[in-house]
Amino acid sequence: MISGIFILGAILGGIIFYQKGVNTNPSTPAPEPTPTVSAVPVATPASTPKAVVDISKFNIAVFNGSGTEGEASKAKALLTDAGFNVVSTGNAATYDYSKTIIKAKSTVDASVIQKIKDALSKVYVVGDSQTLSSSSTTDIQIVVGSSKAE
């Protein structure tokens, strides 16, 4: 009797195994697992800090080109409050400047010129920058014009 149960179990197991093999079509490939996208954290490179330019190391001369008394001193006060080193003030050769002009040696960084523009544009209309001769005794010269910022 026990041997009959084993034979019957083997036959039933064979039938089940056979049916599973028949239902699987060898010409149809087994489905491949679908790839899933997962967010991988990416390290963001830290921005390299720009070299901080010491604005006080540049010698600045301020000239009154507006003809209005005291304008060079007013511009000097704006610049010294911003941290610049104004070494002299005086009158320009003429008083026909309408816009304030910044003249700087080619060795002066553009960021320094921009900081000067920012400081002066609170009161004055600042025109285009110009290149100052390398033989000049100061690094930067500013000629204050008559046009005021609104």
Side-chain angles (χ1 to χ4, degrees), residues 29-37:
E32 293 184 23
T34 305
T36 58
V37 177

Side-chain angles (χ1 to χ4, degrees), residues 12-36:
L12 287 175
I15 293 172
I16 293 172
F17 180 76
Y18 174 76
Q19 285 181 346
K20 285 191 176 196
V22 170
N23 289 338
T24 304
N25 186 351
S27 64
T28 306
E32 293 184 23
T34 305
T36 58

Side-chain angles (χ1 to χ4, degrees), residues 18-143:
Y18 174 76
Q19 285 181 346
K20 285 191 176 196
V22 170
N23 289 338
T24 304
N25 186 351
S27 64
T28 306
E32 293 184 23
T34 305
T36 58
V37 177
S38 62
V40 177
V42 177
T44 308
S47 60
T48 53
K50 293 183 178 181
V52 177
V53 178
D54 180 12
I55 59 175
S56 66
K57 75 177 184 177
F58 297 101
N59 294 325
I60 301 175
V62 180
F63 299 101
N64 183 352
S66 70
T68 306
E69 189 175 328
E71 287 301 317
S73 294
K74 290 177 187 176
K76 176 184 178 179
L78 289 171
L79 293 168
T80 54
D81 288 347
F84 289 97
N85 181 30
V86 178
V87 295
S88 66
T89 60
N91 291 323
T94 63
Y95 294 125
D96 59 352
Y97 288 86
S98 60
K99 292 184 179 180
T100 298
I101 305 298
I102 301 169
K103 298 177 184 179
K105 289 182 178 179
S106 60
T107 57
V108 176
D109 192 74
S111 66
V112 174
I113 296 169
Q114 185 59 51
K115 288 180 183 183
I116 292 172
K117 284 182 181 180
D118 293 344
L120 293 175
S121 64
K122 296 173 186 172
V123 178
Y124 302 102
V125 175
V126 180
D128 293 333
S129 301
Q130 297 176 3
T131 303
L132 184 62
S133 169
S134 60
S135 63
S136 176
T137 58
T138 57
D139 299 308
I140 302 166
Q141 292 180 355
I142 299 168
V143 181

